[in-house]
């Protein structure tokens, strides 16, 4: 890595500076290419000639349709409809057809509970349970078009509940089990859900966390819920309200076994998923059926180079996030894969739990978040070294930019320097992976998500909307894609305003990005986080990556705090690798050496942890508040609020380094 001058976009408008230069490259390994689904450019070439025709071919090849569509895509900015006139059943595509094809005995879900209990669910068993539960929902009055809320731990019943809704044309709205009763109530009210599916409790960090009491509290402040279904998992005592509450196992046992999978319109609402963004009330992102399932099946197959007969796929995300929707449930099951589902935290009973699971189930494809990887770095390479990870073939990341050194750590310690890494960029709104390497076809660079997938057109533009060819700017998408959001539930104005107003004719993702001289895309984080230091627009991601490239650093969060001299000053919060110690001055000089003295943090605080959202993203807004001495606003979305107290204490104790 070297210092590099910054480059502006071609359009002359302001952009984000490009500071970090990463020159390591990793071509697809020969052993992967030998069996890979894609080794050349044919998919890219086909999609470039005719993207709609390309998606139509994928829809036809990857899914079963009851009726074929009349129109591939009806695009009336900002609304798209895909496979118009086509009908299908999503649950049939994820379950029934695999059983009908003779693969009923194949494992759909290897479930591992946190206490160590296991449950194996075959496709035939999944079909049976989905049908019975779909009938149970119908008996409770759920009809096509209704909304059903799901508030569950990571257990097979979460997938069953989602598929049962899909089977009868009801839309689900999954709320992460770690969210409060207030968050659940807000989402139930916004969606006007009729039924809530929850559990007594689940297992987390060696204890039972109760869910039902929070569900009860939420239901008390809603008016639309008619029935509550309760899965027994935690074994904790719960109160059941007569007539309203039902045990899941009793409903399933009493339900009729057959529930035909009637076909629904390709544009039938499949789910709402609420995303909070940085401000304002959560947005109910709308996803529909045919286009969504086409693109999640396509990306799951090609991005992970899926060989469904032999692969064991493990995506560590919770079903409460879009990653859990698209790559725990819909993508893998549509492709007839075997998945691993794990209920608990990565450090129970020991810091090697994930690696024990990889070894136990022979996981071949592993998909996780950079935040988890940085935590593993902190815990040390000896944890994965305790286990045989040689079953792994392809490993992936999603959720945040991955710092090049974290990428290298993942490559060496998890991938055994043998597995390709797919760094996948996408959003709740995009529904499916948009920018990513293909394991057998793309030469990767640590920290770059590389190129848009076939059928996807991304462009980096400057402030004025002019395309940037080399350098930093704002990530936009220029063509509709099948799994794009269909809107924000109940708020079309906010939909237009949030995604389609900054640049006419383009989807604005809200992320900064840069293109290097080889055309590789590098994500630079949310544009709200970009700092302005002495007139230079510097991305937090690049300074964080420079810090993480120091051998003693595990994780860093960088924010711009207002500064009389420079407009904003760079403040860094740094977590060291286990047991390490390092003088602050050395870290500042390291950043200067890596990316230039302009980006040298004014102040660095060492801290044992960083504030994260419950989905694992660093909360820079809070750190900005700390740095600027403001009272902290809402901390309820934090995974662990005590982290902020600790950081505030240290900020008060540590003399600023200037
Ligand atoms: C960020 C998660 C860099 C980005 C699927 C995006 C990433 C937001 C990457 C969406 C990546 C996701 N590299 N940044 N590979 N993947 N992001 O809605 O800022 O939880 O806009 O969806 O995460 O987060 P969401």
């Amino acid at each position: 890595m070297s210092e590099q001058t910054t480059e502006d976009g071609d359009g002359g408008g302001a952009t984000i500076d490009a500071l970090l230069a990463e020159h390591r490259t990793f071509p697809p390994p020969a052993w992967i290419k030998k069996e890979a689904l894609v080794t050349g450019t044919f998919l890219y070439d086909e999609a470039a000639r005719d993207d709609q025709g390309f998606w139509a071919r994928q829809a036809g090849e990857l899914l079963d349709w009851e009726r074929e569509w009349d129109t591939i895509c009806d695009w009336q900015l900002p609304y798209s409809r895909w496979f118009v006139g086509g009908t299908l059943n999503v649950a049939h595509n994820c379950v029934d057809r695999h059983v009908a094809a003779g693969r009923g005995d194949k494992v759909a879900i290897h479930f591992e509970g946190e206490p160590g209990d296991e449950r194996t669910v075959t496709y035939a068993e999944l079909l049976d349970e989905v049908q019975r539960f779909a009938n149970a929902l119908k008996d409770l009055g759920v009809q096509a078009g209704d909304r059903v809320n799901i508030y569950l731990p990571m257990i097979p019943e979460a997938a069953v509940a989602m598929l049962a809704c899909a089977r009868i044309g009801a839309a689900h709205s999954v709320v992460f089990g770690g969210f409060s009763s207030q968050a659940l109530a807000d989402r139930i009210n916004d969606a006007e859900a009729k039924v809530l599916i929850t559990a007594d409790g689940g297992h987390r960090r060696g204890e039972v966390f109760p869910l039902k009491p929070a569900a009860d509290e939420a239901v008390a402040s809603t008016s639309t819920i008619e029935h509550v279904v309760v899965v027994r998992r935690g074994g904790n005592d719960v109160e059941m309200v007569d007539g309203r509450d039902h045990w899941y196992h009793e409903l399933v046992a009493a339900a009729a076994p057959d529930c035909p999978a009637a076909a629904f319109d390709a544009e039938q609402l499949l789910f709402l998923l609420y995303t909070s963004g940085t401000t304002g009330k959560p947005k109910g992102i709308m996803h529909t059926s045919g286009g969504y399932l086409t693109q999640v099946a396509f990306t799951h197959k090609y991005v992970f180079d899926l060989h469904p007969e032999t692969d064991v796929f493990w995506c560590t995300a919770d079903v409460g996030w879009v990653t859990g929707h698209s790559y725990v449930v819909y993508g893998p099951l549509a492709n007839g894969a075997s998945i691993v589902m794990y209920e608990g935290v990565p450090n129970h009973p020991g810091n090697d739990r994930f690696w024990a699971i990889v070894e136990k189930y022979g996981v071949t494809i592993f998909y996780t978040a950079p935040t988890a990887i940085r935590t593993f770095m902190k815990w040390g390479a000896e944890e994965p070294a305790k286990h045989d990870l040689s079953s792994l073939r392809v490993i992936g990341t999603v959720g945040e930019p991955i710092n090049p050194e974290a990428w290298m750590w993942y490559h060496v310690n998890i991938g055994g320097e043998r597995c390709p890494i797919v760094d996948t960029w996408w959003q709740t709104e995009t529904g499916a992976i948009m920018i990513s390497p293909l394991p057998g076809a793309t030469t990767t660079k640590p920290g770059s998500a590389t190129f848009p997938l076939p059928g996807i057109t991304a462009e980096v533009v400057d402030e004025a909307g002019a395309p940037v060819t080399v350098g930093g700017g704002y990530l936009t998408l220029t063509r509709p894609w099948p799994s794009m959001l269909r809107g924000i539930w109940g708020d079309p104005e906010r939909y237009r305003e949030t995604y389609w107003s900054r640049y006419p004719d383009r989807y604005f993702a809200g992320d900064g990005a840069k293109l290097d001289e080889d055309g590789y895309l590098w994500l630079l984080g949310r544009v709200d986080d970009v700092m302005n230091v002495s007139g230079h627009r510097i991305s937090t991601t690049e300074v964080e990556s420079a810090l993480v490239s120091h051998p003693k650093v595990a994780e860093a969060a960088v924010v711009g705090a207002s500064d009389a001299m420079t407009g904003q000053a760079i403040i860094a919060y740094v977590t060291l690798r286990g047991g390490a110690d390092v003088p602050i001055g050395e870290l500042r000089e390291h950043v200067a050496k890596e990316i230039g003295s302009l980006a040298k943090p004014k102040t660095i605080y060492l801290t044992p942890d960083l504030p994260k959202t419950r989905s694992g993203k660093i909360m820079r807004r809070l750190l900005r508040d700390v740095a600027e001495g403001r009272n902290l606003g809402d901390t309820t979305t934090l995974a662990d609020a005590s982290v902020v107290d600790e950081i505030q204490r240290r900020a008060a104790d540590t003399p600023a380094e200037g």
Side-chain angles (χ1 to χ4, degrees):
M1 274 176 263
S2 65
E3 210 167 302
Q4 181 186 287
T5 50
T6 62
E7 303 187 56
D8 269 344
D10 301 343
T15 64
I16 303 169
D17 289 2
L19 300 175
L20 201 69
E22 169 62 62
H23 296 299
R24 289 169 288 198
T25 56
F26 294 83
W31 74 284
I32 290 287
K33 283 178 83 163
K34 219 161 66 195
E35 305 280 332
L37 299 174
V38 183
T39 53
T41 61
F42 74 93
L43 285 179
Y44 295 93
D45 299 340
E46 180 196 348
R49 281 192 302 273
D50 171 13
D51 58 348
Q52 293 193 3
F54 167 80
W55 285 119
R57 178 168 79 80
Q58 296 305 331
E61 275 180 25
L62 295 167
L63 303 182
D64 269 8
W65 295 80
E66 173 80 18
R67 181 184 184 280
E68 206 179 309
W69 52 89
D70 309 310
T71 308
I72 300 171
C73 175
D74 170 33
W75 175 222
Q76 301 189 25
L77 190 133
Y79 291 102
S80 76
R81 295 188 306 147
W82 284 81
F83 310 116
V84 184
T87 65
L88 79 171
N89 185 288
V90 169
H92 163 85
N93 274 283
C94 292
V95 191
D96 306 42
R97 61 175 174 146
H98 307 311
V99 178
R103 295 190 294 272
D105 291 338
K106 184 175 166 58
V107 174
I109 304 174
H110 293 282
F111 170 69
E112 165 114 345
E114 197 191 70
D117 55 317
E118 293 169 41
R119 179 179 164 200
T120 304
V121 184
T122 64
Y123 273 95
E125 289 163 346
L126 186 62
L127 176 59
D128 182 57
E129 198 160 326
V130 168
Q131 294 199 81
R132 286 174 182 273
F133 192 50
N135 279 330
L137 288 176
K138 279 191 188 166
D139 293 344
L140 295 177
V142 178
Q143 294 172 358
D146 286 344
R147 275 84 53 212
V148 171
N149 256 90
I150 297 176
Y151 185 58
L152 284 173
M154 272 299 276
I155 51 178
E157 288 82 355
V160 172
M162 292 162 79
L163 292 164
C165 289
R167 189 171 196 88
I168 60 174
H172 53 73
S173 166
V174 183
V175 177
F176 173 55
F179 274 141
S180 65
S181 59
Q182 188 56 51
L184 175 60
D186 291 346
R187 287 158 176 77
I188 290 173
N189 283 329
D190 192 72
E192 300 180 280
K194 230 179 182 172
V195 167
L196 171 63
I197 303 163
T198 187
D200 50 358
H203 298 269
R204 203 175 164 76
R205 213 160 267 125
E207 288 170 15
V208 171
F209 69 94
L211 274 174
K212 179 67 165 51
D216 286 337
E217 221 178 291
V219 173
S221 50
T222 60
S223 58
T224 56
I225 295 289
E226 294 167 11
H227 294 281
V228 178
V229 180
V230 187
V231 178
R232 176 131 58 203
R233 171 63 193 160
N236 48 313
D237 283 339
V238 296
E239 278 174 35
M240 299 290 279
V241 176
D242 235 16
R244 186 196 76 180
D245 297 356
H246 316 268
W247 285 107
Y248 172 91
H249 58 272
E250 290 176 4
L251 290 183
V252 165
D258 297 315
C259 176
F264 293 96
D265 196 275
E267 285 297 331
Q268 179 82 2
L269 187 67
L270 180 62
F271 64 86
L272 297 177
L273 186 58
Y274 286 81
T275 170
S276 29
T278 45
T279 50
K281 90 180 215 303
K283 309 183 278 271
I285 303 299
M286 298 164 66
H287 282 290
T288 59
S289 302
Y292 172 79
L293 201 63
T294 297
Q295 196 173 332
V296 296
F298 169 78
T299 49
H300 179 257
K301 177 173 174 177
Y302 291 102
V303 169
F304 299 105
D305 189 41
L306 183 76
H307 293 68
E309 322 74 48
T310 47
D311 275 324
V312 177
F313 180 83
W314 184 21
C315 164
T316 66
D318 191 278
V319 285
W321 315 119
V322 73
T323 308
H325 283 60
S326 300
Y327 301 104
V328 175
V329 179
Y330 289 114
L333 299 182
N335 289 331
S338 298
I339 66 161
V340 169
M341 189 187 243
Y342 169 58
E343 177 185 32
V345 296
N347 54 349
H348 184 83
N351 288 351
D352 62 338
R353 183 64 183 271
F354 273 19
W355 319 123
I357 292 173
V358 168
E359 181 172 10
K360 177 171 170 185
Y361 296 99
V363 171
T364 59
I365 308 173
F366 179 73
Y367 190 33
T368 197
T371 182
I373 296 168
R374 295 184 308 248
T375 303
F376 299 140
M377 286 168 73
K378 212 159 50 180
W379 290 342
E382 59 276 16
E383 299 296 341
K386 291 176 189 161
H387 297 277
D388 177 5
L389 306 182
S390 61
S391 58
L392 289 172
R393 212 162 52 74
V394 175
I395 58 180
T397 72
V398 56
E400 283 182 299
I402 181 162
N403 315 112
E405 283 319 311
W407 193 103
M408 288 304 299
W409 190 93
Y410 196 36
H411 169 69
V412 172
N413 296 290
I414 308 304
E417 298 183 64
R418 144 193 116 252
C419 302
I421 295 180
V422 288
D423 170 2
T424 65
W425 179 89
W426 59 295
Q427 308 178 297
T428 304
E429 292 86 340
T430 70
I433 298 170
M434 303 291 281
I435 302 175
S436 167
L438 296 182
T442 314
T443 294
T444 54
K445 298 187 183 187
S448 168
T450 71
F451 307 104
L453 289 173
I456 302 302
T457 331
E459 269 181 8
V460 178
V461 299
D462 66 17
E463 205 81 60
V468 168
T469 48
V470 177
Y474 306 94
L475 183 65
T476 65
L477 302 166
T478 59
R479 300 272 296 152
W481 61 99
S483 65
M484 72 185 281
L485 74 167
R486 300 302 197 258
I488 296 175
W489 181 253
D491 202 345
E493 210 23 67
R494 192 169 176 203
Y495 172 60
R496 205 176 274 276
E497 169 64 31
T498 310
Y499 307 105
W500 303 95
S501 64
R502 179 149 173 174
Y503 300 107
D505 304 338
R506 291 166 182 276
Y507 172 88
F508 175 53
D511 282 337
K514 70 176 184 189
L515 280 164
D516 71 14
E517 47 297 337
D518 302 323
Y520 280 66
L521 270 162
W522 301 75
L523 277 302
L524 297 179
R526 302 296 294 165
V527 295
D528 309 332
D529 292 332
V530 170
M531 303 174 287
N532 195 328
V533 183
S534 307
H536 293 274
R537 294 176 59 72
I538 298 176
S539 99
T540 54
T541 302
E542 294 209 310
V543 182
E544 287 163 5
S545 289
L547 283 163
V548 175
S549 74
H550 187 285
K552 290 187 175 157
V553 173
E555 179 157 47
V558 162
V559 298
S562 42
D563 184 273
M565 290 285 292
T566 55
Q568 280 188 320
I570 301 178
I571 313 293
Y573 300 83
V574 169
T575 304
L576 299 178
R577 296 199 194 194
D581 198 14
V582 65
I584 299 288
E586 184 180 322
L587 292 178
R588 297 180 67 237
E589 286 317 312
H590 181 75
V591 173
K593 181 168 82 37
E594 289 294 309
I595 58 175
S597 46
L598 157 85
K600 193 150 84 172
K602 180 175 179 195
T603 309
I604 296 180
Y605 298 111
L606 296 180
T607 153
D609 221 330
L610 294 169
K612 309 251 175 85
T613 64
R614 286 164 205 261
S615 66
K617 296 187 209 287
I618 296 173
M619 283 269 270
R620 293 183 189 74
R621 176 175 61 77
L622 278 183
L623 291 171
R624 223 154 31 226
D625 288 346
V626 174
E628 295 182 342
R630 258 192 308 281
N631 272 339
L632 296 185
D634 183 14
T635 56
T636 54
T637 51
L638 280 181
D640 176 4
S642 69
V643 172
V644 181
D645 301 336
E646 176 65 19
I647 288 175
Q648 277 183 307
R649 205 181 51 69
R650 289 187 185 225
D653 288 353
T654 323
E657 304 265 340

